[in-house]
Amino acid sequence: MAMVPEVVAFAILAHVNPLVGLYAAFILGLVTALFGGRPGLISGGAGSLAVVSVALVVTHGVQYLFACIILMGLIQIAFGAFKLGKLIKLVSPAVMTGFVNGLALVIFAAQFHQVPESGMPLYTMLGLIILTIIGVVIAPMITKHIPGSLFGIVLTTAVVLLFGLDTKLVKDVAEVSGVFPTFAWPDVPMTLDTLKIIAPYSFVLAGIGLIETLLTANLVDKTIGGVNQPNKESLAQGAGNVLTGLFGGMGGCAMIGQTVINLEAGGHHRLAGVVEALCILAYILFASAIIENIPLAALIGVMCVVCYHTFDWKSLQLKQADAGIMLIVTASTFAFNLAYAVFIGIGITALMHYWREVGKD
């Protein structure tokens, strides 16, 4: 329920059919859950990739996007095969914190694109968002057997149906019903010109996808313990994206918001990701009417709680140097994209380390 509206929104952002995003969530989510290097990680069509993809889709069409995603997956497979996952250790704790906080802000800001600007629709939606947040917060006090996000969504949906409130539903954004994804080679010329068009996008998407995935995997380690396997995760992400491109998906990576929801619900093992992926497929094939009639306010409320838990509030107490790096990475993530933000953070960290070493001399 938390994945579907996010993926639909990102697909619309990338100028593709919502089903293209949902297929990515199903295929990539299933492959990475079964074969990835970090149980508990949830993958799908991410907004950080959609922002980059939109230019390619607008200028050359969706078929070039599918070809781009296949090449992106091959690059990620090569990254894992050559065991380059250790490079993620270059990311300092301050950069990691900035990444997490920046994504929390990006996710939070993205929730309000569907909120009306004024009048009774605005007040109704804000009231329902607050109701959902209350439901999510009080759910653990009532029972530990129902995830708080599900309790909040059901509560708000019931209130809307009971009182006949006029508010935006998921179906007002897009339809999510469809058929099982089918194999289709991208309808693009197999020429060097095509490679020249898609290669720059593929390398950028592969980099952003791996950075976001491996940093999110580190966050899972920090949250529930254990150690992820970055090379294995890179191979799984690559294989999943190759299949996604071959079956008409937009490509993706680990999604921090949905991963946090999963961990808070107790989904610490591979089965959680498998069930999530199969549920996405079930929504597409059989249960689209249920998802389409969920109020958007309920989903926004759930994501607001996720953003609160995702943001590292202890980072506000970091010492001066680390706080500066964290703030720069947070702002860069929010203003540009994840890849730029992390590279900027790594560069500043390296310069500061060099300056300290020079100062010792």
Side-chain angles (χ1 to χ4, degrees):
M1 289 184 175
M3 177 71 84
V4 171
E6 285 284 301
V7 170
V8 168
F10 294 148
I12 293 172
L13 174 63
H15 287 59
V16 296
N17 188 292
L19 281 175
V20 174
L22 291 171
Y23 287 156
F26 161 59
I27 298 171
L28 184 63
L30 183 62
V31 172
T32 55
L34 288 172
F35 305 108
R38 176 65 262 191
L41 199 68
I42 300 297
S43 297
S48 55
L49 302 186
V51 172
V52 177
S53 302
V54 62
L56 178 62
V57 175
V58 170
T59 54
H60 293 92
V62 70
Q63 292 297 323
Y64 277 83
L65 174 62
F66 298 151
C68 171
I69 296 304
I70 294 172
L71 179 57
M72 165 194 170
L74 293 174
I75 294 170
Q76 292 178 327
I77 289 174
F79 185 92
F82 286 103
K83 301 187 183 302
L84 299 177
K86 59 186 178 182
L87 293 177
I88 199 64
K89 293 179 181 178
L90 292 174
V91 180
S92 68
V95 175
M96 172 68 181
T97 301
F99 150 77
V100 171
N101 291 351
L103 278 186
L105 294 176
V106 169
I107 294 170
F108 181 77
Q111 302 313 305
F112 293 91
H113 292 165
Q114 300 294 336
V115 176
E117 294 182 359
S118 61
M120 186 54 67
L122 170 63
Y123 302 131
T124 300
M125 181 168 279
L126 290 178
L128 293 173
I129 291 172
I130 294 171
L131 176 64
T132 305
I133 293 173
I134 293 173
V136 174
V137 172
I138 67 171
M141 305 175 188
I142 300 174
T143 176
K144 299 289 186 180
H145 301 292
I146 299 177
S149 56
L150 179 59
F151 183 89
I153 289 172
V154 171
L155 173 65
T156 301
T157 303
V159 168
V160 169
L161 294 176
L162 184 62
F163 294 98
L165 300 179
D166 183 17
T167 187
K168 275 187 176 183
L169 308 178
V170 171
K171 65 182 177 183
D172 295 324
V173 178
E175 294 184 359
V176 297
S177 60
V179 298
F180 194 88
T182 55
F183 177 87
W185 188 260
D187 184 16
V188 298
M190 301 297 291
T191 64
L192 282 176
D193 288 337
T194 298
L195 183 60
K196 289 177 182 178
I197 292 171
I198 66 173
Y201 290 97
S202 295
F203 276 101
V204 172
L205 290 173
I208 294 174
L210 286 175
I211 290 171
E212 185 164 355
T213 296
L214 298 181
L215 289 182
T216 304
N218 286 348
L219 177 65
V220 177
D221 292 348
K222 183 180 177 181
T223 304
I224 64 173
V227 179
N228 70 84
Q229 302 175 62
N231 295 317
K232 186 176 181 180
E233 186 63 45
S234 300
L235 289 169
Q237 290 284 333
N241 277 310
V242 170
L243 286 175
T244 297
L246 291 172
F247 283 85
M250 64 182 283
C253 62
M255 301 181 71
I256 189 169
Q258 283 68 20
T259 297
V260 171
I261 290 177
N262 179 53
L263 297 179
E264 289 182 348
H268 299 173
H269 303 286
R270 295 188 185 278
L271 183 61
V274 172
V275 171
E276 178 270 336
L278 294 177
C279 283
I280 294 290
L281 180 62
Y283 294 150
I284 296 171
L285 300 179
F286 312 116
S288 59
I290 297 175
I291 296 297
E292 289 175 351
N293 285 287
I294 293 175
L296 279 178
L299 300 169
I300 292 173
V302 168
M303 294 309 294
C304 286
V305 176
V306 169
C307 291
Y308 175 82
H309 290 299
T310 300
F311 194 92
D312 188 351
W313 296 99
K314 293 181 180 178
S315 65
L316 300 178
Q317 302 173 357
L318 287 175
K319 60 183 181 180
Q320 188 173 0
D322 288 341
I325 295 173
M326 182 269 293
L327 289 173
I328 291 172
V329 174
T330 299
S332 299
T333 301
F334 190 73
F336 305 113
N337 66 51
L338 175 62
Y340 289 151
V342 170
F343 287 138
I344 290 170
I346 291 174
I348 295 174
T349 303
L351 287 173
M352 291 183 64
H353 177 73
Y354 175 76
W355 186 260
R356 291 193 193 104
E357 292 300 317
V358 171
K360 291 178 182 178
D361 296 336

